[in-house]
């Protein structure tokens, strides 16, 4: 059965840990399935009958991935939407009530009205690399918390913390080895990695984060690259009011990694060191100066990947 002959069918999916709530617009079809292999298979079968223009699901971090992978395998066009964009759309149309069914209807309405660009599923190795980078960040965060506790807890309790720190160190090293092995297993990733790491300040983790979380780099404009990372300053003006420009949005994970990479680059890379010092001399706050340097770093890396060129301080 194909009911989509002359209709623009859009599907909204509200994701829960154990359940998916699905609304098909404008057919006014609503149903729920369990968020497991059996439920997802049932949902895909029902959705495919109506040949939708797009299926939109909000990004949650991981809960939506099994459903998205199933959509990709079934050749169903899908969008992983930014929850902030959906929330703003709800405000624009005056929707304040919130239930699972209303959330699914809202997402389907957002799909129909906004027509967000389709999402492409990352290759399996790229998804794995992103997961490894994310896991390493989690381990580093937990390691830092334990180190802080070691400093403030009584010495008698030190032996309860030190074994945990050793375990964190070992797991971080194993995760980094897996990241390196994954990059070396793919010639395309290896070529990108060599270009990225040729810039002083970009290490293996920063390179892996860019490859996995910013695959568009090298194929987009510098402004688009800065916006994707979330380091492009946004104007805040209305009438006579002129507020300070601030960064917002973007891909937080890669931005955090590049921020830390810049802390290293300002010590070993004369280009960024001089840029940072010049901005401070102009009266810029330290954090603003660092973000400006990160934006410059992204622009240079974007050009390097586009041209297939290694780092050259003379042309930076």
């Amino acid at each position: 059965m194909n009911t989509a002959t002359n209709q623009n069918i859009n599907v909204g999916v509200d994701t829960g840990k154990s359940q998916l709530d699905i609304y098909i617009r404008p057919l006014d079809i609503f149903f729920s399935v369990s968020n497991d292999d059996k439920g997802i298979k049932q949902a895909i079968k029902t959705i495919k009958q109506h040949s939708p223009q797009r299926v939109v699901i909000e990004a949650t971090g991981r809960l939506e991935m099994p459903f998205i992978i199933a959509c990709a395998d079934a050749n169903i066009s899908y969008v992983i939407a930014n929850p902030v964009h959906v929330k703003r759309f709800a405000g624009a149309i005056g929707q304040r009530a919130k239930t699972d069914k209303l959330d699914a209807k809202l997402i389907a309405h957002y799909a129909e009205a906004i027509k967000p660009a389709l999402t492409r599923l990352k290759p399996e190795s790229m998804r794995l690399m992103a997961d490894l980078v994310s896991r390493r960040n989690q381990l580093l965060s937990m390691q830092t918390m334990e180190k802080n506790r070691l400093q403030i807890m009584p010495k008698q309790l030190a032996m309860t913390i030190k074994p945990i720190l050793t375990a964190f160190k070992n797991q971080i090293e194993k995760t980094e080895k897996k990241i390196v092995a994954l990059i070396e297993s793919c010639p395309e990733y290896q070529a990108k990695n060599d270009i990225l790491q040729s810039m002083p300040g970009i290490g293996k983790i920063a390179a892996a984060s860019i490859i996995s979380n910013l695959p568009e780099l090298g194929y987009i404009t510098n402004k688009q690259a800065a916006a994707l990372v979330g380091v492009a300053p946004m104007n805040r003006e209305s009438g006579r009011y002129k507020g300070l420009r601030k960064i917002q949005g973007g891909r937080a994970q890669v931005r955090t990694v590049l921020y830390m990479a810049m802390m290293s680059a300002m010590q070993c890379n004369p280009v960024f060191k001089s840029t940072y010092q010049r901005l401070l001399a102009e009266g810029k706050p330290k954090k603003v100066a660092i973000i400006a340097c990160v934006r410059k770093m992204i622009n240079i890396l974007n050009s390097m990947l586009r041209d297939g060129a290694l780092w050259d301080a003379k042309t930076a």
Side-chain angles (χ1 to χ4, degrees):
M1 181 179 71
N2 188 343
T3 60
T5 307
N6 295 311
Q7 296 191 71
N8 180 14
I9 305 296
N10 288 274
V11 180
V13 182
D14 182 51
T15 315
K17 187 175 182 180
S18 59
Q19 181 173 299
L20 297 174
D21 298 291
I22 301 168
Y23 184 82
I24 303 176
R25 181 185 173 95
L27 303 179
D28 195 28
I29 297 173
F30 174 77
F31 63 98
S32 298
V33 297
S34 56
N35 192 3
D36 55 24
D37 291 343
K38 183 179 179 180
I40 291 171
K41 186 176 180 180
Q42 178 187 340
I44 293 296
K45 183 179 180 181
T46 302
I47 290 171
K48 202 164 186 180
Q49 290 176 351
H50 303 286
S51 302
Q53 296 288 317
R54 62 180 60 76
V55 174
V56 178
I57 186 169
E58 288 183 315
T60 64
R62 287 293 176 266
L63 295 178
E64 77 280 6
M65 287 311 298
F67 178 79
I68 288 300
I69 292 172
C71 284
D73 291 341
N75 293 317
I76 296 175
S77 300
Y78 64 90
V79 177
I80 303 176
N82 187 328
V84 174
H85 296 168
V86 177
K87 186 176 180 180
R88 288 174 179 170
F89 179 76
I93 64 174
Q95 178 171 319
R96 301 186 185 279
K98 185 174 176 61
T99 66
D100 292 338
K101 182 176 181 179
L102 287 176
D103 285 347
K105 289 182 70 174
L106 171 67
I107 296 169
H109 191 182
Y110 167 83
E112 181 183 88
I114 304 301
K115 296 180 176 59
L118 299 179
T119 303
R120 290 184 180 180
L121 185 68
K122 295 180 181 179
E124 186 65 34
S125 58
M126 195 178 292
R127 290 205 307 273
L128 176 58
M129 196 188 307
D131 290 340
L132 287 170
V133 172
S134 179
R135 181 56 183 161
R136 179 183 178 275
N137 290 340
Q138 293 169 358
L139 290 169
L140 285 173
S141 178
M142 291 186 286
Q143 182 188 58
T144 300
M145 287 190 286
E146 286 298 291
K147 285 182 177 179
N148 291 338
R149 293 186 184 108
L150 183 63
Q151 294 177 356
I152 62 176
M153 296 295 284
K155 291 184 178 179
Q156 299 93 315
L157 297 178
M159 293 309 296
T160 66
I161 298 176
K162 288 182 178 178
I164 297 175
L165 288 174
T166 301
F168 280 141
K169 181 182 177 182
N170 292 337
Q171 289 302 317
I172 290 169
E173 289 177 353
K174 288 181 180 179
T175 304
E176 290 177 347
K177 288 179 180 178
K178 289 180 180 179
I179 292 171
V180 172
L182 199 56
I183 291 174
E184 291 176 347
S185 68
C186 176
E188 181 185 351
Y189 294 166
Q190 184 63 59
K192 278 190 171 184
N193 181 66
D194 292 342
I195 292 172
L196 293 169
Q197 288 203 53
S198 70
M199 174 186 283
I202 295 292
K204 56 188 177 184
I205 302 303
S209 184
I210 292 170
I211 292 170
S212 58
N213 293 303
L214 200 63
E216 302 94 337
L217 204 66
Y219 303 98
I220 54 180
T221 66
N222 289 344
K223 287 185 177 180
Q224 289 172 328
L228 279 178
V229 178
V231 292
M234 302 295 179
N235 292 336
R236 300 172 69 240
E237 300 178 0
S238 179
R240 294 183 179 180
Y241 173 76
K242 294 185 182 297
L244 293 174
R245 296 198 301 169
K246 294 184 178 181
I247 61 171
Q248 61 182 29
R251 299 174 186 175
Q253 181 171 316
V254 69
R255 181 171 63 250
T256 299
V257 171
L258 289 178
Y259 187 94
M260 298 308 297
M262 181 50 63
M263 302 303 289
S264 172
M266 288 188 303
Q267 304 298 321
C268 65
N269 191 318
V271 172
F272 297 115
K273 185 176 182 179
S274 61
T275 301
Y276 177 69
Q277 291 174 343
R278 175 177 57 79
L279 291 170
L280 291 182
E282 293 174 359
K284 301 291 185 183
K286 289 184 178 180
K287 193 170 183 179
V288 171
I290 294 172
I291 292 297
C293 289
V294 172
R295 186 163 58 251
K296 181 172 183 176
M297 172 185 276
I298 293 166
N299 292 344
I300 295 173
L301 290 173
N302 189 44
S303 299
M304 288 167 59
L305 288 175
R306 182 193 64 217
D307 301 334
L310 298 177
W311 166 260
D312 184 355
K314 295 180 182 179
T315 59

Short mmCIF file of all heavy atoms in Angstrom, two decimals, residues 19-73:
data_model
loop_
_atom_site.label_atom_id
_atom_site.label_comp_id
_atom_site.label_asym_id
_atom_site.label_seq_id
_atom_site.Cartn_x
_atom_site.Cartn_y
_atom_site.Cartn_z
N GLN A 19 10.95 3.57 24.46
CA GLN A 19 9.83 3.68 23.54
C GLN A 19 10.06 4.74 22.48
O GLN A 19 10.69 5.76 22.74
CB GLN A 19 8.57 4.01 24.34
CG GLN A 19 7.29 4.14 23.51
CD GLN A 19 6.06 4.32 24.40
OE1 GLN A 19 5.75 3.45 25.20
NE2 GLN A 19 5.38 5.45 24.26
N LEU A 20 9.53 4.49 21.28
CA LEU A 20 9.52 5.46 20.20
C LEU A 20 8.07 5.83 19.90
O LEU A 20 7.25 4.95 19.67
CB LEU A 20 10.18 4.89 18.94
CG LEU A 20 11.66 4.52 19.01
CD1 LEU A 20 12.08 3.82 17.72
CD2 LEU A 20 12.53 5.72 19.27
N ASP A 21 7.76 7.12 19.93
CA ASP A 21 6.43 7.60 19.59
C ASP A 21 6.50 8.25 18.22
O ASP A 21 7.31 9.16 17.99
CB ASP A 21 5.93 8.60 20.64
CG ASP A 21 5.81 7.97 22.01
OD1 ASP A 21 4.91 7.12 22.18
OD2 ASP A 21 6.62 8.29 22.90
N ILE A 22 5.66 7.79 17.29
CA ILE A 22 5.80 8.15 15.88
C ILE A 22 4.49 8.74 15.36
O ILE A 22 3.41 8.19 15.59
CB ILE A 22 6.20 6.91 15.06
CG1 ILE A 22 7.53 6.35 15.60
CG2 ILE A 22 6.31 7.24 13.58
CD1 ILE A 22 7.88 4.98 15.07
N TYR A 23 4.63 9.88 14.66
CA TYR A 23 3.45 10.54 14.07
C TYR A 23 3.71 10.78 12.59
O TYR A 23 4.77 11.30 12.22
CB TYR A 23 3.17 11.87 14.77
CG TYR A 23 1.91 12.55 14.27
CD1 TYR A 23 0.65 12.18 14.75
CD2 TYR A 23 1.97 13.57 13.32
CE1 TYR A 23 -0.51 12.80 14.30
CE2 TYR A 23 0.82 14.19 12.85
CZ TYR A 23 -0.41 13.80 13.34
OH TYR A 23 -1.55 14.41 12.89
N ILE A 24 2.75 10.38 11.75
CA ILE A 24 2.87 10.55 10.30
C ILE A 24 1.93 11.68 9.87
O ILE A 24 0.72 11.58 10.05
CB ILE A 24 2.53 9.24 9.56
CG1 ILE A 24 3.45 8.12 10.05
CG2 ILE A 24 2.68 9.44 8.05
CD1 ILE A 24 3.14 6.76 9.44
N ARG A 25 2.51 12.73 9.32
CA ARG A 25 1.75 13.91 8.91
C ARG A 25 1.75 14.01 7.39
O ARG A 25 2.80 13.76 6.78
CB ARG A 25 2.41 15.15 9.54
CG ARG A 25 1.74 16.48 9.23
CD ARG A 25 2.58 17.63 9.83
NE ARG A 25 2.05 18.91 9.41
CZ ARG A 25 1.19 19.64 10.13
NH1 ARG A 25 0.80 19.22 11.31
NH2 ARG A 25 0.76 20.81 9.67
N PRO A 26 0.63 14.36 6.75
CA PRO A 26 -0.65 14.83 7.30
C PRO A 26 -1.70 13.73 7.43
O PRO A 26 -2.90 14.01 7.49
CB PRO A 26 -1.08 15.85 6.26
CG PRO A 26 -0.60 15.27 4.96
CD PRO A 26 0.69 14.55 5.27
N LEU A 27 -1.26 12.47 7.48
CA LEU A 27 -2.22 11.36 7.53
C LEU A 27 -2.83 11.17 8.91
O LEU A 27 -3.76 10.37 9.07
CB LEU A 27 -1.53 10.06 7.09
CG LEU A 27 -0.89 10.08 5.69
CD1 LEU A 27 -0.22 8.76 5.40
CD2 LEU A 27 -1.92 10.43 4.63
N ASP A 28 -2.30 11.90 9.90
CA ASP A 28 -2.81 11.82 11.28
C ASP A 28 -2.75 10.39 11.82
O ASP A 28 -3.69 9.89 12.43
CB ASP A 28 -4.24 12.36 11.37
CG ASP A 28 -4.64 12.64 12.82
OD1 ASP A 28 -3.75 12.93 13.64
OD2 ASP A 28 -5.85 12.55 13.13
N ILE A 29 -1.61 9.76 11.57
CA ILE A 29 -1.38 8.40 12.08
C ILE A 29 -0.39 8.48 13.23
O ILE A 29 0.71 9.04 13.07
CB ILE A 29 -0.84 7.46 10.98
CG1 ILE A 29 -1.86 7.32 9.85
CG2 ILE A 29 -0.47 6.10 11.56
CD1 ILE A 29 -1.32 6.55 8.65
N PHE A 30 -0.76 7.94 14.37
CA PHE A 30 0.14 7.93 15.52
C PHE A 30 0.22 6.51 16.06
O PHE A 30 -0.79 5.81 16.20
CB PHE A 30 -0.38 8.86 16.63
CG PHE A 30 0.43 8.78 17.89
CD1 PHE A 30 1.67 9.41 17.99
CD2 PHE A 30 -0.04 8.06 18.99
CE1 PHE A 30 2.42 9.32 19.15
CE2 PHE A 30 0.71 7.97 20.16
CZ PHE A 30 1.94 8.61 20.23
N PHE A 31 1.44 6.09 16.38
CA PHE A 31 1.62 4.79 17.02
C PHE A 31 2.93 4.79 17.81
O PHE A 31 3.80 5.65 17.61
CB PHE A 31 1.63 3.66 15.98
CG PHE A 31 2.75 3.72 14.98
CD1 PHE A 31 3.89 2.95 15.15
CD2 PHE A 31 2.67 4.54 13.85
CE1 PHE A 31 4.93 2.98 14.22
CE2 PHE A 31 3.69 4.58 12.92
CZ PHE A 31 4.82 3.80 13.10
N SER A 32 3.04 3.86 18.71
CA SER A 32 4.23 3.73 19.55
C SER A 32 4.78 2.32 19.43
O SER A 32 4.02 1.35 19.27
CB SER A 32 3.89 4.03 21.02
OG SER A 32 3.43 5.35 21.18
N VAL A 33 6.11 2.22 19.50
CA VAL A 33 6.77 0.91 19.48
C VAL A 33 7.87 0.92 20.53
O VAL A 33 8.31 1.98 20.98
CB VAL A 33 7.38 0.59 18.10
CG1 VAL A 33 6.31 0.50 17.02
CG2 VAL A 33 8.45 1.63 17.72
N SER A 34 8.31 -0.24 20.92
CA SER A 34 9.43 -0.32 21.85
C SER A 34 10.72 0.05 21.14
O SER A 34 10.89 -0.22 19.95
CB SER A 34 9.53 -1.74 22.42
OG SER A 34 9.64 -2.69 21.37
N ASN A 35 11.61 0.70 21.87
CA ASN A 35 12.89 1.12 21.28
C ASN A 35 13.90 -0.03 21.36
O ASN A 35 14.91 0.04 22.07
CB ASN A 35 13.41 2.36 22.00
CG ASN A 35 14.58 3.02 21.25
OD1 ASN A 35 14.95 2.57 20.17
ND2 ASN A 35 15.15 4.06 21.82
N ASP A 36 13.60 -1.09 20.64
CA ASP A 36 14.48 -2.24 20.53
C ASP A 36 14.38 -2.79 19.11
O ASP A 36 13.64 -2.23 18.27
CB ASP A 36 14.13 -3.31 21.57
CG ASP A 36 12.66 -3.75 21.51
OD1 ASP A 36 12.04 -3.60 20.43
OD2 ASP A 36 12.13 -4.23 22.52
N ASP A 37 15.10 -3.84 18.83
CA ASP A 37 15.14 -4.36 17.46
C ASP A 37 13.75 -4.72 16.93
O ASP A 37 13.41 -4.39 15.79
CB ASP A 37 16.05 -5.60 17.40
CG ASP A 37 17.51 -5.26 17.60
OD1 ASP A 37 17.85 -4.06 17.45
OD2 ASP A 37 18.31 -6.16 17.92
N LYS A 38 12.95 -5.35 17.77
CA LYS A 38 11.61 -5.77 17.33
C LYS A 38 10.72 -4.56 17.04
O LYS A 38 10.05 -4.48 16.00
CB LYS A 38 10.97 -6.64 18.41
CG LYS A 38 9.60 -7.18 18.02
CD LYS A 38 9.03 -8.07 19.13
CE LYS A 38 7.65 -8.59 18.75
NZ LYS A 38 7.08 -9.45 19.85
N GLY A 39 10.72 -3.59 17.96
CA GLY A 39 9.89 -2.41 17.78
C GLY A 39 10.33 -1.57 16.59
O GLY A 39 9.50 -1.07 15.82
N ILE A 40 11.64 -1.40 16.44
CA ILE A 40 12.17 -0.60 15.33
C ILE A 40 11.84 -1.25 13.99
O ILE A 40 11.47 -0.57 13.03
CB ILE A 40 13.70 -0.41 15.49
CG1 ILE A 40 13.99 0.51 16.69
CG2 ILE A 40 14.32 0.15 14.22
CD1 ILE A 40 15.45 0.59 17.06
N LYS A 41 11.94 -2.57 13.91
CA LYS A 41 11.60 -3.28 12.68
C LYS A 41 10.13 -3.05 12.32
O LYS A 41 9.79 -2.83 11.15
CB LYS A 41 11.88 -4.78 12.87
CG LYS A 41 11.69 -5.59 11.60
CD LYS A 41 12.07 -7.05 11.85
CE LYS A 41 11.89 -7.87 10.57
NZ LYS A 41 12.27 -9.31 10.80
N GLN A 42 9.27 -3.08 13.32
CA GLN A 42 7.83 -2.83 13.11
C GLN A 42 7.60 -1.40 12.63
O GLN A 42 6.81 -1.16 11.71
CB GLN A 42 7.08 -3.08 14.41
CG GLN A 42 5.58 -2.80 14.34
CD GLN A 42 4.92 -2.91 15.70
OE1 GLN A 42 5.46 -3.53 16.62
NE2 GLN A 42 3.75 -2.29 15.84
N ALA A 43 8.31 -0.43 13.26
CA ALA A 43 8.15 0.98 12.88
C ALA A 43 8.60 1.23 11.45
O ALA A 43 7.92 1.92 10.68
CB ALA A 43 8.95 1.86 13.85
N ILE A 44 9.74 0.66 11.08
CA ILE A 44 10.26 0.83 9.72
C ILE A 44 9.29 0.27 8.69
O ILE A 44 9.03 0.88 7.64
CB ILE A 44 11.64 0.16 9.59
CG1 ILE A 44 12.69 0.88 10.45
CG2 ILE A 44 12.09 0.14 8.13
CD1 ILE A 44 12.96 2.31 10.06
N LYS A 45 8.71 -0.88 9.00
CA LYS A 45 7.75 -1.50 8.08
C LYS A 45 6.54 -0.60 7.86
O LYS A 45 6.07 -0.41 6.72
CB LYS A 45 7.31 -2.85 8.64
CG LYS A 45 6.36 -3.62 7.73
CD LYS A 45 5.99 -4.97 8.33
CE LYS A 45 5.03 -5.73 7.41
NZ LYS A 45 4.66 -7.05 8.01
N THR A 46 6.02 -0.01 8.94
CA THR A 46 4.85 0.86 8.84
C THR A 46 5.18 2.15 8.12
O THR A 46 4.43 2.61 7.24
CB THR A 46 4.30 1.18 10.25
OG1 THR A 46 3.98 -0.04 10.92
CG2 THR A 46 3.06 2.06 10.16
N ILE A 47 6.32 2.76 8.47
CA ILE A 47 6.71 4.04 7.86
C ILE A 47 6.94 3.88 6.36
O ILE A 47 6.52 4.71 5.56
CB ILE A 47 7.99 4.58 8.55
CG1 ILE A 47 7.66 5.03 9.98
CG2 ILE A 47 8.58 5.74 7.75
CD1 ILE A 47 8.88 5.37 10.81
N LYS A 48 7.58 2.78 5.97
CA LYS A 48 7.94 2.59 4.56
C LYS A 48 6.71 2.47 3.67
O LYS A 48 6.78 2.79 2.47
CB LYS A 48 8.84 1.37 4.43
CG LYS A 48 9.68 1.37 3.16
CD LYS A 48 10.81 0.37 3.22
CE LYS A 48 11.69 0.53 1.98
NZ LYS A 48 12.82 -0.44 1.99
N GLN A 49 5.59 2.04 4.22
CA GLN A 49 4.36 1.91 3.44
C GLN A 49 3.90 3.26 2.89
O GLN A 49 3.23 3.32 1.86
CB GLN A 49 3.24 1.33 4.31
CG GLN A 49 3.44 -0.12 4.68
CD GLN A 49 2.35 -0.62 5.62
OE1 GLN A 49 1.54 0.16 6.11
NE2 GLN A 49 2.32 -1.92 5.85
N HIS A 50 4.27 4.35 3.55
CA HIS A 50 3.78 5.68 3.18
C HIS A 50 4.81 6.51 2.40
O HIS A 50 4.54 7.67 2.08
CB HIS A 50 3.35 6.43 4.44
CG HIS A 50 2.30 5.70 5.24
ND1 HIS A 50 0.99 5.60 4.84
CD2 HIS A 50 2.39 5.00 6.39
CE1 HIS A 50 0.31 4.90 5.73
NE2 HIS A 50 1.13 4.50 6.68
N SER A 51 5.98 5.95 2.11
CA SER A 51 7.02 6.63 1.31
C SER A 51 7.22 8.08 1.74
O SER A 51 6.97 9.02 0.98
CB SER A 51 6.65 6.58 -0.18
OG SER A 51 6.51 5.26 -0.62
N PRO A 52 7.66 8.33 2.97
CA PRO A 52 7.79 9.70 3.47
C PRO A 52 8.90 10.48 2.79
O PRO A 52 9.89 9.90 2.32
CB PRO A 52 8.10 9.51 4.96
CG PRO A 52 8.78 8.18 5.02
CD PRO A 52 8.10 7.33 3.97
N GLN A 53 8.73 11.80 2.74
CA GLN A 53 9.78 12.69 2.24
C GLN A 53 10.99 12.64 3.18
O GLN A 53 12.12 12.63 2.74
CB GLN A 53 9.27 14.13 2.15
CG GLN A 53 8.15 14.34 1.15
CD GLN A 53 8.65 14.26 -0.28
OE1 GLN A 53 9.70 14.81 -0.60
NE2 GLN A 53 7.91 13.57 -1.13
N ARG A 54 10.70 12.64 4.46
CA ARG A 54 11.76 12.59 5.47
C ARG A 54 11.19 12.10 6.79
O ARG A 54 10.01 12.31 7.10
CB ARG A 54 12.42 13.96 5.65
CG ARG A 54 11.51 15.04 6.14
CD ARG A 54 12.22 16.39 6.30
NE ARG A 54 12.78 16.87 5.06
CZ ARG A 54 12.07 17.42 4.07
NH1 ARG A 54 10.75 17.52 4.17
NH2 ARG A 54 12.66 17.86 2.99
N VAL A 55 12.03 11.45 7.55
CA VAL A 55 11.72 11.07 8.94
C VAL A 55 12.63 11.89 9.83
O VAL A 55 13.85 11.87 9.65
CB VAL A 55 11.96 9.57 9.17
CG1 VAL A 55 11.76 9.22 10.64
CG2 VAL A 55 11.05 8.73 8.30
N VAL A 56 12.05 12.63 10.75
CA VAL A 56 12.84 13.51 11.62
C VAL A 56 12.81 12.99 13.04
O VAL A 56 11.75 12.68 13.59
CB VAL A 56 12.32 14.96 11.57
CG1 VAL A 56 13.13 15.85 12.52
CG2 VAL A 56 12.41 15.51 10.15
N ILE A 57 13.99 12.90 13.63
CA ILE A 57 14.14 12.46 15.01
C ILE A 57 15.14 13.38 15.69
O ILE A 57 16.13 13.80 15.08
CB ILE A 57 14.60 10.98 15.07
CG1 ILE A 57 14.61 10.45 16.50
CG2 ILE A 57 15.95 10.81 14.41
CD1 ILE A 57 14.80 8.93 16.58
N GLU A 58 14.89 13.73 16.94
CA GLU A 58 15.79 14.64 17.65
C GLU A 58 17.06 13.90 18.08
O GLU A 58 17.03 12.72 18.41
CB GLU A 58 15.11 15.22 18.89
CG GLU A 58 14.04 16.25 18.58
CD GLU A 58 13.44 16.84 19.84
OE1 GLU A 58 13.14 16.08 20.78
OE2 GLU A 58 13.28 18.06 19.89
N ALA A 59 18.18 14.64 18.07
CA ALA A 59 19.44 14.09 18.56
C ALA A 59 19.39 13.99 20.07
O ALA A 59 19.08 14.95 20.76
CB ALA A 59 20.59 14.98 18.12
N THR A 60 19.67 12.80 20.61
CA THR A 60 19.71 12.60 22.06
C THR A 60 21.09 12.20 22.53
O THR A 60 21.37 12.23 23.72
CB THR A 60 18.72 11.50 22.47
OG1 THR A 60 19.15 10.26 21.89
CG2 THR A 60 17.31 11.81 22.02
N GLY A 61 21.94 11.82 21.63
CA GLY A 61 23.27 11.36 22.00
C GLY A 61 23.48 9.95 21.49
O GLY A 61 24.36 9.69 20.69
N ARG A 62 22.64 9.00 21.93
CA ARG A 62 22.78 7.61 21.48
C ARG A 62 21.45 6.89 21.30
O ARG A 62 21.35 5.93 20.54
CB ARG A 62 23.64 6.82 22.49
CG ARG A 62 25.11 7.19 22.44
CD ARG A 62 25.74 6.77 21.14
NE ARG A 62 27.13 7.18 21.04
CZ ARG A 62 27.53 8.30 20.47
NH1 ARG A 62 26.64 9.13 19.96
NH2 ARG A 62 28.80 8.61 20.41
N LEU A 63 20.41 7.33 21.99
CA LEU A 63 19.15 6.59 21.98
C LEU A 63 18.54 6.47 20.58
O LEU A 63 17.84 5.50 20.29
CB LEU A 63 18.13 7.26 22.92
CG LEU A 63 18.47 7.27 24.41
CD1 LEU A 63 17.40 8.01 25.19
CD2 LEU A 63 18.63 5.85 24.93
N GLU A 64 18.82 7.46 19.72
CA GLU A 64 18.21 7.45 18.39
C GLU A 64 18.98 6.63 17.36
O GLU A 64 18.47 6.33 16.28
CB GLU A 64 18.06 8.88 17.87
CG GLU A 64 19.34 9.52 17.34
CD GLU A 64 20.25 10.07 18.43
OE1 GLU A 64 19.94 9.87 19.61
OE2 GLU A 64 21.26 10.70 18.09
N MET A 65 20.22 6.21 17.69
CA MET A 65 21.09 5.61 16.69
C MET A 65 20.57 4.28 16.12
O MET A 65 20.63 4.07 14.91
CB MET A 65 22.50 5.44 17.26
CG MET A 65 23.27 6.75 17.39
SD MET A 65 23.22 7.78 15.91
CE MET A 65 24.04 6.72 14.71
N PRO A 66 20.04 3.34 16.92
CA PRO A 66 19.52 2.10 16.32
C PRO A 66 18.42 2.37 15.30
O PRO A 66 18.39 1.73 14.23
CB PRO A 66 18.98 1.31 17.53
CG PRO A 66 19.79 1.82 18.68
CD PRO A 66 20.02 3.28 18.39
N PHE A 67 17.53 3.32 15.61
CA PHE A 67 16.46 3.64 14.67
C PHE A 67 17.02 4.29 13.41
O PHE A 67 16.59 3.97 12.29
CB PHE A 67 15.45 4.59 15.34
CG PHE A 67 14.33 5.02 14.43
CD1 PHE A 67 13.26 4.18 14.19
CD2 PHE A 67 14.36 6.26 13.81
CE1 PHE A 67 12.23 4.57 13.34
CE2 PHE A 67 13.34 6.67 12.97
CZ PHE A 67 12.27 5.81 12.73
N ILE A 68 17.99 5.18 13.55
CA ILE A 68 18.60 5.85 12.41
C ILE A 68 19.31 4.86 11.50
O ILE A 68 19.21 4.92 10.27
CB ILE A 68 19.58 6.94 12.90
CG1 ILE A 68 18.82 8.13 13.48
CG2 ILE A 68 20.50 7.40 11.77
CD1 ILE A 68 17.88 8.80 12.51
N ILE A 69 20.04 3.94 12.10
CA ILE A 69 20.74 2.92 11.31
C ILE A 69 19.73 2.08 10.53
O ILE A 69 19.95 1.73 9.36
CB ILE A 69 21.61 2.03 12.23
CG1 ILE A 69 22.76 2.86 12.80
CG2 ILE A 69 22.15 0.83 11.48
CD1 ILE A 69 23.56 2.15 13.88
N ALA A 70 18.60 1.76 11.17
CA ALA A 70 17.55 0.99 10.48
C ALA A 70 16.97 1.79 9.32
O ALA A 70 16.68 1.22 8.25
CB ALA A 70 16.45 0.63 11.49
N CYS A 71 16.78 3.10 9.50
CA CYS A 71 16.29 3.95 8.40
C CYS A 71 17.27 3.94 7.23
O CYS A 71 16.87 3.84 6.07
CB CYS A 71 16.09 5.39 8.89
SG CYS A 71 14.61 5.65 9.89
N ALA A 72 18.56 4.06 7.55
CA ALA A 72 19.57 4.06 6.50
C ALA A 72 19.58 2.74 5.74
O ALA A 72 19.66 2.71 4.52
CB ALA A 72 20.95 4.34 7.11
N ASP A 73 19.47 1.63 6.47
CA ASP A 73 19.46 0.31 5.84
C ASP A 73 18.22 0.12 4.96
O ASP A 73 18.27 -0.60 3.96
CB ASP A 73 19.50 -0.78 6.91
CG ASP A 73 20.84 -0.83 7.63
OD1 ASP A 73 21.82 -0.29 7.08
OD2 ASP A 73 20.90 -1.39 8.74
#
